[in-house]
């Protein structure tokens, strides 16, 4: 009918159509009754007086038909037919029976559209059954608060120290058995020395130092000549010597203990001790070397 | 400068005048304020700020004087001085939790002898761990999983192909797995961890934060070897903490191989559990050196559930309720 042609002339090509969306390659029709989304002469709902669409609401599909006779009554223009059958084939038959004697294009396009709609409905139902990803909203304040608390907790934890302490504890309690053979005597001596130190006053220590000043060199020479057996043998020898040398012994022992204590306090680095004057450190050096050798063997 | 201001405000109300004048008088010695005066009542921002600064200086001065006095006293007393006061820390001020475990408590010992981990602690089962992720793991999560698998002996990483956890669990039980770890991700980094002890054991859900992969660690050692590491669990003091501690302990085989000299640490501090993996060396009997290998991350417990993973119908033993539990700074749950 020629007025439709006029309509199409206007909205299709020359002037404005509010439903038209222009893209680089194609024009689309945003009209909700359009059967294909493309802006064509044959699929424009405004420019065709006999038109049919399938639309879907809440999982149910409806067939909408527009006929020439009702063109004058916009309120009654679209006739809605409910698709009663969930069955795909039956629904297709229903479309056919409603659109009998209609142009082939519309029938075909209606069926295509209906097919697509059912397919996406099926997919929606399947996805719901599968695991959904739940998005949990984060509160920025809470997150930043937790982050700050974590940092402070990390600082307060002093992890390295805690781990080292725990490992040393375990070593002391003997959970490692005989793997690490630190000389037990020296270890106990170090323990005793620590106890003794904590009990003694500062004054007494000063006295000891005074005593040792004169006797240091004498004592040191003796020890250098010893073999590289561990300390305790030397100590035994010295201990079992006569009582005349008790004082010397005691001072020597104290000196040794002091030496060991100051070494075991960890203040003296392993190799730096060589630089120090007391040659008692030499033997201790030996021990460390053998230890490291044994360690190398095990790794 | 003050005088100028005073002149400008001269024609104002009497009250204001008093305040201003008193403000000015502060500069002069021997002035007194009306007792209900506080710095916040001055309307002029600059003036108020200056008054406040002065107030603060005063306070600071007094504090320093007090400190000096105390130090002098301490030195004067010498040895007889009272011992130095211990500063208050959050750990010191911690609200006493009545569920703190007493090491000799018999009831707890009995409980622990018969709970779900007793099989492990009696040496009957060997841990076998399955590590998996949520759907489509990306980037760091994959690497994180692999590194976790190297750290935990007898661990296997499986790709999760969109399977529901409830279907995975029976399969795992059938294949003798004792643990299931699921790592959740958010934008390619792990942010959640579900740890499920398998033959109907408790399920713990953690929030994971600050993950450092092996590459990102500074001064790290070589890759962890196959030896089973030792486990250190620090600061798990309450009942809840105990269960979580046992949960972690049961991840690793019972008898660590000391030859490997590796140690995995779970350290709880203020409800954050820090995981570290080190290699240690005893330099002498007083010093030990540690070198970090392996990933590090922190966990925060979000919920503990009685049975295996079931978020809808499960019986939750403990859930983090932020409002109640975060309100007090000195109250911790683990």
């Amino acid at each position: 009918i020629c007025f439709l042609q006029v309509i199409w002339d206007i909205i299709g090509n020359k002037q404005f159509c509010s439903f038209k969306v222009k893209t680089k390659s194609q024009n689309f029709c945003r009209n909700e009754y359009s059967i294909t989304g493309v802006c064509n002469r044959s699929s424009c709902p405004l420019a065709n007086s006999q038109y049919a669409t399938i639309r879907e609401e809440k999982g149910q599909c409806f067939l909408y038909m527009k006929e020439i006779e009702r063109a004058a009554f916009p309120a009654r223009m679209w006739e809605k037919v409910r698709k009663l059958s969930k069955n795909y084939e039956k629904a297709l038959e229903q479309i056919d029976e409603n659109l009998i004697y209609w142009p082939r294009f519309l029938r075909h396009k209606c069926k295509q559209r209906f097919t697509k709609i059912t397919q996406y409905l099926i997919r929606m139902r399947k996805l719901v059954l599968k695991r959904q990803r739940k998005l949990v909203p984060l509160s920025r304040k809470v997150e930043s608060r937790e982050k700050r608390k974590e940092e402070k907790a990390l600082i307060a934890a002093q992890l390295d120290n805690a781990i080292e302490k725990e490992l040393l504890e375990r070593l002391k309690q003997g959970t490692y058995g005989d793997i690490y053979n630190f000389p037990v005597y020296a270890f106990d001596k170090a323990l005793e020395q620590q106890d003794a130190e904590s009990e003694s006053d500062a004054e007494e220590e000063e006295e000891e130092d005074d005593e040792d000043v004169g006797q240091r060199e004498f004592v040191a020479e003796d020890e250098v000549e010893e073999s590289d057996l561990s300390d305790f043998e030397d100590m035994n020898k010295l201990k079992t010597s006569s009582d005349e040398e008790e004082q010397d012994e005691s001072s020597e022992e104290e000196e040794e203990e002091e030496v060991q204590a100051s070494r075991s306090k960890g203040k003296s680095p392993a190799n730096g001790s060589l630089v120090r004057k007391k040659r008692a450190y030499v033997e201790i050096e030996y021990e460390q070397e053998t230890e490291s050798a044994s360690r190398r063997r095990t790794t | 400068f003050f005088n100028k201001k005073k002149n400008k405000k001269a024609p104002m109300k009497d009250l204001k005048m008093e305040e201003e004048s008193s403000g000015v008088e502060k500069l002069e010695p021997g002035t007194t304020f009306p007792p209900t005066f506080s710095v916040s009542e001055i309307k002029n921002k600059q003036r108020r700020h200056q008054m406040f600064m002065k107030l603060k200086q005063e306070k600071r001065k007094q504090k320093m004087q007090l400190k000096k006095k105390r130090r002098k006293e301490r030195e004067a007393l010498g040895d007889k001085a009272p011992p130095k006061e211990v500063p208050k820390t959050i750990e010191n001020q911690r609200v006493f939790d009545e569920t703190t475990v007493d090491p000799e408590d018999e009831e707890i010992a009995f409980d622990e002898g018969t709970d779900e981990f007793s099989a492990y602690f009696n040496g009957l089962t060997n841990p076998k761990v399955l590590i998996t992720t949520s759907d489509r793991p990306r980037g760091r999560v994959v690497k994180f999983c692999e590194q976790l698998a190297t750290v935990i002996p007898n661990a296997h990483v499986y790709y999760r192909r969109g399977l529901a956890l409830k279907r995975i669990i029976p399969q795992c039980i059938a294949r003798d797995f004792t643990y299931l770890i699921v790592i959740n991700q958010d934008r390619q980094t792990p942010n959640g961890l579900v740890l499920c002890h398998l033959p109907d054991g408790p399920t713990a859900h953690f929030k994971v934060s600050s993950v450092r992969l092996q590459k990102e660690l500074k001064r790290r050692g070589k890759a962890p070897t196959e030896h089973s590491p030792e486990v250190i669990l620090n600061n798990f003091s309450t009942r809840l903490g105990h269960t979580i501690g046992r949960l972690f302990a049961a991840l690793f085989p019972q008898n660590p191989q000391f030859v490997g000299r590796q140690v995995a640490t779970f350290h709880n501090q203020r409800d954050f559990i820090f995981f570290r993996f080190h290699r240690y060396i005893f330099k002498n009997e007083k010093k030990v050196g540690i070198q970090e290998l392996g990933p590090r991350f922190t966990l925060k417990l979000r919920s503990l559930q009685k049975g295996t993973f079931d978020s809808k119908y499960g019986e939750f033993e403990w859930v983090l309720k932020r409002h109640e539990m975060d309100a007090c700074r000195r109250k911790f749950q683990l």
Side-chain angles (χ1 to χ4, degrees):
Chain A
I1 308 198
C2 73
F3 77 83
L4 290 175
Q5 190 59 41
V6 169
I7 294 179
W8 177 248
D9 268 341
I10 297 177
I11 64 175
N13 296 320
K14 296 188 193 151
Q15 291 186 19
F16 181 71
C17 170
S18 68
F19 298 107
K20 192 188 314 198
V21 173
K22 274 192 181 177
T23 44
K24 277 194 201 153
S25 50
Q26 232 190 10
N27 292 340
F28 291 103
C29 186
R30 258 186 17 201
N31 194 328
E32 46 190 19
Y33 288 102
S34 156
I35 189 154
T36 61
V38 190
C39 189
N40 270 335
R41 172 70 181 85
S42 45
S43 43
C44 186
L46 307 171
N48 287 313
S49 54
Q50 195 185 42
Y51 203 73
T53 329
I54 308 275
R55 269 173 75 190
E56 175 268 328
E57 264 144 55
K58 292 187 192 159
Q60 273 205 328
C61 304
F62 303 97
L63 171 66
Y64 285 81
M65 295 190 291
K66 168 174 148 184
E67 279 168 22
I68 314 173
E69 290 86 25
R70 299 196 300 269
F73 312 104
R76 285 177 255 161
M77 205 150 60
W78 291 97
E79 178 189 334
K80 184 166 156 175
V81 171
R82 211 174 55 183
K83 208 64 89 266
L84 287 172
S85 64
K86 292 274 178 75
N87 194 347
Y88 180 65
E89 282 113 30
K90 275 219 187 121
L92 285 183
E93 283 172 13
Q94 276 182 321
I95 298 179
D96 261 336
E97 127 195 5
N98 273 312
L99 296 183
I100 200 167
Y101 306 132
W102 280 52
R104 232 178 307 141
F105 175 77
L106 282 172
R107 255 185 286 151
H108 182 63
K109 286 296 179 187
C110 272
K111 284 190 236 169
Q112 264 190 347
R113 197 182 164 90
F114 178 70
T115 312
K116 261 292 183 303
I117 290 181
T118 43
Q119 281 174 355
Y120 81 61
L121 285 175
I122 291 171
R123 210 184 319 144
M124 271 168 62
R125 275 178 251 140
K126 257 201 222 159
L127 279 182
V128 170
L129 290 178
K130 266 197 184 176
R131 300 160 43 242
Q132 311 265 22
R133 193 170 297 232
K134 185 171 168 199
L135 292 176
V136 176
L138 293 178
S139 159
R140 218 175 309 171
K141 261 199 223 170
V142 173
E143 292 304 309
S144 71
R145 210 193 315 151
E146 300 245 312
K147 202 160 159 234
R148 219 178 309 130
K149 278 197 186 163
E150 190 190 315
E151 286 167 7
K152 304 250 170 172
L154 184 63
I155 297 173
Q158 294 180 349
L159 282 168
D160 290 339
N161 288 352
I163 298 178
E164 288 174 8
K165 233 185 357 175
E166 177 69 30
L167 287 171
L168 287 172
E169 276 281 324
R170 289 191 183 181
L171 180 68
K172 249 201 269 184
Q173 286 173 357
T175 45
Y176 296 131
D178 288 325
I179 310 180
Y180 303 104
N181 39 9
F182 300 117
V184 181
Y185 185 84
F187 189 56
D188 288 341
K189 248 319 183 199
L191 274 180
E192 278 174 42
Q193 181 49 36
Q194 279 192 344
D195 291 338
E197 272 192 2
S198 56
E199 288 167 11
S200 65
D201 290 339
E203 304 166 352
E204 288 183 11
E205 276 175 12
E206 285 175 344
E207 283 181 5
E208 280 173 9
D209 279 338
D210 289 335
E211 275 182 12
D212 287 342
V213 164
Q215 296 168 346
R216 242 178 231 167
E217 288 166 326
F218 179 67
V219 169
E221 275 179 4
D222 277 348
E223 292 181 350
V224 166
E225 289 165 349
E226 305 295 355
S227 56
D228 48 348
L229 293 173
S230 42
D231 279 351
F232 65 91
E233 289 200 3
D234 309 334
M235 300 306 277
N236 275 338
K237 256 194 250 175
L238 298 164
K239 264 195 172 168
T240 52
S241 60
S242 58
D243 295 343
E244 301 163 34
E245 296 179 322
E246 235 184 28
Q247 259 214 343
D248 294 1
E249 275 176 21
S250 56
S251 61
E252 188 193 273
E253 276 178 34
E254 283 160 1
E255 187 212 326
E256 266 257 2
E257 286 169 9
E258 271 180 70
V259 156
Q260 281 196 353
S262 55
R263 165 197 147 237
S264 59
K265 267 187 211 156
K267 283 187 205 153
S268 51
N271 285 324
S273 56
L274 238 186
V275 184
R276 299 249 183 108
K277 355 111 193 177
K278 299 179 190 169
R279 283 181 244 168
Y281 277 81
V282 174
E283 263 123 49
I284 303 170
E285 256 283 313
Y286 260 121
E287 282 175 35
Q288 288 175 352
E289 284 180 73
T290 50
E291 272 172 25
S292 56
S294 68
R295 252 181 273 123
R296 257 181 263 125
R297 260 181 271 128
T298 51
T299 45
Chain B
F1 155 70
F2 268 102
N3 286 331
K4 265 199 221 161
K5 282 256 164 113
K6 183 183 178 184
N7 288 338
K8 272 197 199 156
K9 306 227 177 193
M12 289 255 191
K13 289 187 251 173
D14 283 343
L15 264 163
K16 270 279 176 153
M17 276 281 291
E18 272 185 21
E19 270 187 15
E20 312 292 9
S21 54
S22 54
V24 171
E25 279 172 342
K26 181 121 201 259
L27 293 174
E28 302 160 3
T31 55
T32 47
F33 281 103
T36 52
F37 172 76
S38 87
V39 183
S40 54
E41 281 172 24
I42 305 180
K43 298 293 184 184
N44 185 335
K45 185 167 178 175
Q46 285 185 346
R47 284 276 209 97
R48 192 170 62 230
H49 184 66
Q50 284 183 352
M51 292 290 284
F52 182 66
M53 284 318 210
K54 274 207 200 80
L55 198 69
K56 280 239 131 147
Q57 273 181 7
E58 278 289 321
K59 277 199 189 162
R60 225 180 293 156
K61 216 181 358 178
Q62 282 177 8
K63 197 171 166 193
M64 292 299 287
Q65 284 174 356
L66 197 60
K67 252 194 185 173
K68 271 195 194 161
K69 202 171 67 159
R70 266 206 224 128
R71 205 192 300 163
K72 277 209 191 116
E73 280 176 19
R74 160 163 264 129
E75 282 175 11
L77 287 180
D79 278 336
K80 302 189 207 103
K84 263 199 167 169
E85 293 157 34
V86 180
K88 294 188 208 168
T89 62
I90 294 188
E91 281 80 24
N92 289 347
Q93 308 293 99
R94 177 173 173 173
V95 167
F96 175 69
D97 202 340
E98 67 256 354
T99 57
T100 314
V101 170
D102 193 17
E104 282 115 45
D105 200 340
E106 284 177 359
E107 184 191 328
I108 293 180
F110 176 69
D111 270 341
E112 295 190 349
T114 51
D115 75 352
E116 294 118 344
F117 300 107
S118 54
Y120 165 78
F121 282 106
N122 294 336
L124 295 172
T125 52
N126 261 333
K128 193 173 170 199
V129 179
L130 177 71
I131 305 183
T132 183
T133 62
S134 54
D135 288 345
R136 293 181 199 252
R138 317 263 260 134
R140 303 187 56 183
V141 184
V142 176
K143 291 191 195 150
F144 181 61
C145 285
E146 288 169 16
Q147 291 181 5
L148 258 190
T150 52
V151 163
I152 305 177
N154 207 1
H156 306 271
V157 182
Y158 278 93
Y159 182 55
R160 170 99 164 273
R161 304 165 101 253
L163 300 169
L165 273 185
K166 290 197 203 147
R167 287 209 207 115
I168 296 185
I169 288 180
Q171 287 187 17
C172 286
I173 299 182
R175 290 179 209 196
D176 261 345
F177 277 96
T178 53
Y179 259 101
L180 176 67
I181 299 184
V182 183
I183 297 183
N184 239 315
Q185 67 168 24
D186 165 53
R187 277 196 229 144
Q188 289 114 29
T189 50
N191 75 338
L193 188 96
V194 176
L195 186 58
C196 185
H197 184 74
L198 272 184
D200 65 54
T203 311
H205 175 43
F206 296 96
K207 174 173 90 138
V208 170
S209 43
S210 46
V211 174
R212 296 266 172 282
L213 300 177
Q214 276 168 355
K215 260 197 179 180
E216 299 161 9
L217 295 173
K218 297 185 185 173
R219 282 177 253 123
R220 77 179 158 98
K222 299 192 185 154
T225 58
E226 286 290 321
H227 300 117
S228 1
E230 300 174 41
V231 182
I232 292 184
L233 300 164
N234 274 343
N235 281 350
F236 288 96
S237 53
T238 61
R239 282 304 293 269
L240 182 65
H242 250 245
T243 22
I244 302 285
R246 287 159 70 79
L247 202 69
F248 287 133
L251 267 176
F252 296 93
Q254 270 274 26
N255 300 319
Q257 292 166 308
F258 297 124
V259 181
R261 281 187 289 125
Q262 291 173 143
V263 58
T265 310
F266 293 90
H267 181 103
N268 170 36
Q269 186 83 13
R270 303 181 194 175
D271 279 355
F272 286 99
I273 303 173
F274 298 102
F275 171 82
R276 299 283 185 272
F277 193 73
H278 292 280
R279 177 167 281 144
Y280 62 87
I281 247 191
F282 281 108
K283 294 189 192 149
N284 51 42
E285 61 267 6
K286 284 284 155 201
K287 267 211 295 187
V288 58
I290 53 177
Q291 192 187 39
E292 181 152 13
L293 355 153
R296 63 157 79 159
F297 51 91
T298 53
L299 301 169
K300 185 156 199 240
L301 182 68
R302 275 216 275 221
S303 68
L304 180 65
Q305 189 185 12
K306 256 296 157 180
T308 53
F309 182 75
D310 193 344
S311 45
K312 273 195 274 182
Y313 303 113
E315 171 200 342
F316 279 93
E317 198 176 307
W318 184 86
V319 169
L320 173 74
K321 296 191 198 91
R322 223 182 48 218
H323 254 293
E324 298 173 14
M325 298 178 182
D326 266 2
C328 178
R329 275 177 223 257
R330 287 173 278 282
K331 189 166 204 297
F332 302 114
Q333 320 293 329
L334 283 187

